[in-house]
Amino acid sequence: MDARVDKTLRITTPSDFEFAMTRQFDAPRRFVFDAMTKPEYLVRWLGCEQLTMPVCEVDLRVGGAYRFVFRSSEGIEHELTGTYREVVRPERLTFGETFSMPGFTSDEYLVISTFVEEGGTTTLTTTIRHPTKEARDGHLNSGIDKGVEPAYDRLAEVVAGMG
């Protein structure tokens, strides 16, 4: 692994409605893009480590839908669903997303992921745009960093094995 790769998750707030998560991966962007869009890879890294992912459905095309169901050991399910709005492999991915769990369903928010490769290292920036500042702040303060950081560590392991 390249020691120059910055494995730090950086979270910024580019606007009152958005937050952005950025991290580098020691892999070509086509690997990172595939790991974020193909079920055989998604089930290996997406979500919290203590949850299983019994449903991972992806129809990767503009207008296509996805559905991810995560299940706790107590049987409680959390669901991410959405529709792809832009698919430019391996540069950009845009989709609307809704998060549901017992007693809560979010308003739809927009997720924009860009993949920039330089010298075999990919910088992934995922920007999440909410309809209100309150929704953005709620999502940002939900502990997302505690879930995304270990998930991105698992993503790094997945893409390292794709060569």
Side-chain angles (χ1 to χ4, degrees):
M1 208 179 252
D2 191 329
R4 296 171 295 159
V5 176
D6 184 354
K7 299 174 194 159
T8 306
L9 174 66
R10 301 192 191 289
I11 299 178
T12 58
T13 51
S15 80
D16 283 347
F17 301 101
E18 300 172 312
F19 66 92
M21 301 178 292
T22 302
R23 177 169 159 176
Q24 292 184 335
F25 296 90
D26 189 16
R29 68 182 178 172
R30 71 182 188 278
F31 289 1
V32 181
F33 188 94
D34 284 352
M36 291 188 66
T37 56
K38 293 185 176 184
E40 62 265 31
Y41 299 122
L42 283 162
V43 297
R44 294 174 50 196
W45 72 268
L46 187 60
C48 298
E49 194 169 28
Q50 62 271 27
L51 302 177
T52 62
M53 190 178 190
V55 178
C56 183
E57 301 168 345
V58 175
D59 181 7
L60 188 63
R61 61 182 173 85
V62 173
Y66 67 90
R67 180 172 172 249
F68 308 134
V69 176
F70 304 95
R71 186 176 296 141
S72 73
S73 58
E74 297 83 28
I76 299 169
E77 293 187 346
H78 304 81
E79 185 174 50
L80 289 174
T81 57
T83 303
Y84 294 104
R85 298 184 182 178
E86 182 182 32
V87 179
V88 183
R89 184 182 191 279
E91 301 168 18
R92 187 174 167 96
L93 188 64
T94 304
F95 50 90
E97 182 167 85
T98 303
F99 171 76
S100 313
M101 60 184 275
F104 175 79
T105 299
S106 72
D107 290 331
E108 183 182 64
Y109 47 89
L110 189 66
V111 180
I112 304 155
S113 293
T114 58
F115 307 78
V116 177
E117 183 179 344
E118 188 174 331
T121 297
T122 298
T123 300
L124 168 64
T125 301
T126 297
T127 302
I128 298 178
R129 183 178 304 146
H130 283 277
T132 66
K133 182 180 186 311
E134 294 74 25
R136 182 212 61 182
D137 290 349
H139 196 173
L140 190 56
N141 295 320
S142 69
I144 190 165
D145 56 321
K146 290 173 184 60
V148 171
E149 203 158 22
Y152 276 7
D153 288 344
R154 292 190 303 274
L155 173 58
E157 291 173 13
V158 168
V159 298
M162 291 172 69

